[in-house]
Amino acid sequence: MKVLVIGTGYVGLNTGVVLGFLGHDVTCMDLNKEKIELLRSGKSPIYEPNLDKMLELAYGNLTFTSDYDEADIPNTDVIFIAVGTPSNPDGSANLEYVQQAAEEVGKRLNDRFTVVVNKSTVPIGSGNWVETIVRDAYIEKHGQRPIHHYAIASNPEFLRQGSALYDSFYPDRIVVGASDSQAIDVLTNLYRPILNQDFNYPDCLPRPEGFTAVPLVTCDLASAEMIKYAANSFLALKISYINEIAHLAEKVGADINQIARGIGLDSRIGPRFLNAGIGWGGSCFGKDTAALVATAHEYNLSMPIIEAARDVNYHLREEFVTRVQNSLKILKGKTVTVLGLAFKPNTDDLRDAPSIDIIQKLLARGAKVRAHDPVAVPNMKSQYPELSIEYFDDPNKAVIDSDAILLVTEWPVYKKMDWKTILKDGKVKLIDGRNFFS
Ligand code: UGA
């Protein structure tokens, strides 16, 4: 099938590469020319395990452009809108880029039936809004109403950064929301190799044993949109829940890891997303929980559970710094080494990363901050030049003569450090923000 993906962020690029690998003819479009140049040269503009390799494998089926006219919209079967939807100051999603993409698409649609898919996480109800924008742009161009020339669908993404390609090839489910049955058929055909798990998997991402099929959930537009928010909010509150339990566990002298295991073995609860620590960050949980609360407010509803999950989460960062302060007594003039800056391992993404808040608070209290991260240091330097941090390429050097070492992101490389020697004389405090060490 002929596919266009608008937006080459985590979601868009990953979608394009996976569909290209599966044999579809994919154009990836982004207005950012630098990104497109990089992609044309076979390099990924983002750090994501296996992405460079998969780009190479899918390259023959991929075209990159930053020009809508080159994207061949009139001959395309499926168009994914996968542009950014950053948060507005009130927590609602900024839909400027979605609107622009929908207008550009509407102007260029022609006689061929095309499915326009919202892949960006958009507020509930946006499917209808996009439909109106596409229709108005179409009418303006053609001077008449479209008659079944296109349909709008919602196909939310559930991939995690750091394992984006794995999650796309082997998802727990695929959700397609649309009121048009032909649109559902087109997307079912597009995803058939994944649904049936009958594609030849790439060597770098072997199929898990016993993984034979993927459930397809088809529903209306609004339900598909809400599934995305409800899933992310549930995961966020699961983490906040275990962090709240961890507070009490610490007071009563119980072990949160044992508790997580003990409750996680109950199949109704499940073992995943029960790692206690300094809580969630990243571009999704904070943004999506805020957007869900903002939508509820539009309907005069409150969402006390989700609001509490947010409060618990953001409070953890302050508590962590208080813990460092309690341990060192005085922070002023003390050398504190932060291990890990990215919001989670295997990514260089710093959006809503706990490290930022923690470092800002440490600096405000007079600590000297050193930092190491296997991949996120260049982003930190360029995005937060005002933070006075001494960066190190080698974590073993970063910790020499430190007063405290803070484990903020659980990169596997930190397990391999020579902890016996580092902690030998008992002078340095190791404060583990991720329950990473035994
Ligand atoms: C999350 C969801 O997991 C994906 O399903 C969804 O597609 C994505 O958001 C999105 O909406 O785009 P992501 O933010 O990439 O994915 O990463 P997660 O693995 O969910 O981790 C989020 C944060 O929670 C990280 O800061 C991580 O350190 C933290 N976390 C995760 C915990 O503190 N404890 C846990 O047990 C699990």
Side-chain angles (χ1 to χ4, degrees):
M1 278 188 192
K2 195 162 163 46
V3 177
L4 168 65
V5 184
I6 306 174
T8 59
Y10 279 96
V11 170
L13 186 54
N14 188 73
T15 304
V17 168
V18 166
L19 292 175
F21 176 80
L22 294 175
H24 297 296
D25 171 7
V26 181
T27 299
C28 295
M29 146 93 210
D30 201 300
L31 292 176
N32 183 328
K33 292 197 172 109
E34 272 171 46
K35 272 187 172 184
I36 292 300
E37 279 316 311
L38 213 57
L39 285 164
R40 280 183 178 149
S41 70
K43 291 196 190 91
S44 163
I46 47 180
Y47 176 86
E48 178 64 36
N50 296 310
L51 190 50
D52 279 326
K53 178 78 203 154
M54 290 304 304
L55 253 174
E56 191 187 318
L57 293 177
Y59 201 75
N61 290 336
L62 298 174
T63 307
F64 301 102
T65 182
S66 42
D67 181 348
Y68 276 100
D69 285 329
E70 271 179 28
D72 200 14
I73 288 175
N75 295 311
T76 300
D77 299 300
V78 182
I79 299 175
F80 287 99
I81 299 180
V83 295
T85 53
S87 287
N88 286 319
D90 66 351
S92 62
N94 176 347
L95 297 177
E96 198 183 319
Y97 305 117
V98 177
Q99 174 164 3
Q100 192 188 4
E103 280 168 359
E104 296 294 342
V105 167
K107 274 188 228 168
R108 291 170 176 83
L109 285 173
N110 219 326
D111 290 345
R112 191 190 185 99
F113 179 75
T114 303
V115 186
V116 181
V117 187
N118 258 340
K119 193 84 174 158
S120 304
T121 303
V122 288
I124 301 145
S126 298
N128 298 328
W129 174 72
V130 166
E131 181 147 33
T132 311
I133 296 169
V134 172
R135 191 191 55 217
D136 289 352
Y138 183 98
I139 293 172
E140 205 179 313
K141 180 74 202 278
H142 297 272
Q144 58 184 36
R145 290 177 80 83
I147 307 160
H148 207 228
H149 289 150
Y150 66 88
I152 307 293
S154 165
N155 171 220
E157 183 53 69
F158 302 105
L159 61 82
R160 295 160 299 167
Q161 287 178 224
S163 52
L165 287 150
Y166 178 91
D167 290 348
S168 302
F169 281 119
Y170 312 114
D172 288 342
R173 77 298 205 189
I174 290 178
V175 174
V176 172
S179 51
D180 185 295
S181 60
Q182 196 179 344
I184 293 183
D185 289 347
V186 169
L187 292 178
T188 306
N189 282 334
L190 182 80
Y191 284 124
R192 196 166 305 283
I194 294 180
L195 293 168
N196 295 346
Q197 286 295 307
D198 55 5
F199 61 90
N200 290 326
Y201 59 75
D203 288 345
C204 56
L205 289 160
R207 180 172 293 124
E209 211 153 306
F211 194 87
T212 52
V214 172
L216 172 69
V217 178
T218 57
C219 55
D220 58 275
L221 271 174
S223 301
E225 288 163 354
M226 187 133 178
I227 285 170
K228 170 70 186 186
Y229 283 103
N232 269 1
S233 298
F234 187 82
L235 293 169
L237 75 90
K238 196 172 178 190
I239 299 167
S240 286
Y241 173 81
I242 199 68
N243 280 319
E244 189 164 281
I245 295 292
H247 281 141
L248 184 59
E250 194 164 346
K251 295 281 179 215
V252 303
D255 178 347
I256 191 60
N257 293 329
Q258 302 286 8
I259 297 169
R261 184 170 144 73
I263 64 172
L265 283 168
D266 183 328
S267 59
R268 292 169 303 174
I269 297 173
R272 296 167 72 190
F273 280 67
L274 287 178
N275 291 341
I278 50 176
W280 39 267
S283 67
C284 305
F285 288 172
K287 181 163 74 79
D288 292 354
T289 48
L292 199 57
V293 169
T295 304
H297 285 170
E298 287 172 19
Y299 291 84
N300 283 328
L301 277 177
S302 63
M303 296 215 128
I305 296 178
I306 297 172
E307 288 187 43
R310 289 175 55 80
D311 290 346
V312 166
N313 188 65
Y314 289 109
H315 203 57
L316 289 167
R317 300 174 184 188
E318 176 63 35
E319 282 165 10
F320 187 65
V321 175
T322 304
R323 180 183 288 232
V324 181
Q325 193 166 27
N326 289 344
S327 178
L328 295 180
K329 308 301 174 205
I330 290 165
L331 272 173
K332 213 172 178 51
K334 296 281 170 66
T335 301
V336 177
T337 300
V338 173
L339 294 182
L341 298 170
F343 83 93
K344 63 182 278 191
N346 292 320
T347 179
D348 60 356
D349 198 333
L350 292 169
R351 284 176 288 177
D352 199 16
S355 66
I356 314 290
D357 276 348
I358 290 167
I359 289 173
Q360 282 168 341
K361 290 176 199 298
L362 289 168
L363 290 171
R365 289 177 212 184
K368 287 187 185 164
V369 176
R370 295 176 177 177
H372 173 271
D373 188 286
V375 297
V377 169
N379 278 350
M380 191 78 178
K381 283 183 182 169
S382 63
Q383 291 170 24
Y384 296 92
E386 73 284 6
L387 296 181
S388 145
I389 301 171
E390 191 184 354
Y391 294 101
F392 287 77
D393 293 333
D394 179 351
N396 292 295
K397 294 202 172 120
V399 299
I400 293 170
D401 295 332
S402 288
D403 296 294
I405 303 167
L406 316 186
L407 192 286
V408 170
T409 313
E410 67 278 33
W411 284 95
V413 66
Y414 299 139
K415 274 252 161 91
K416 295 189 193 126
M417 290 167 68
D418 181 7
W419 287 108
K420 267 200 185 133
T421 312
I422 297 166
L423 302 173
K424 183 172 73 203
D425 56 14
K427 279 191 194 147
V428 62
K429 313 277 184 201
L430 171 62
I431 302 172
D432 182 356
R434 295 289 182 184
N435 268 319
F436 186 53
F437 299 110
S438 56

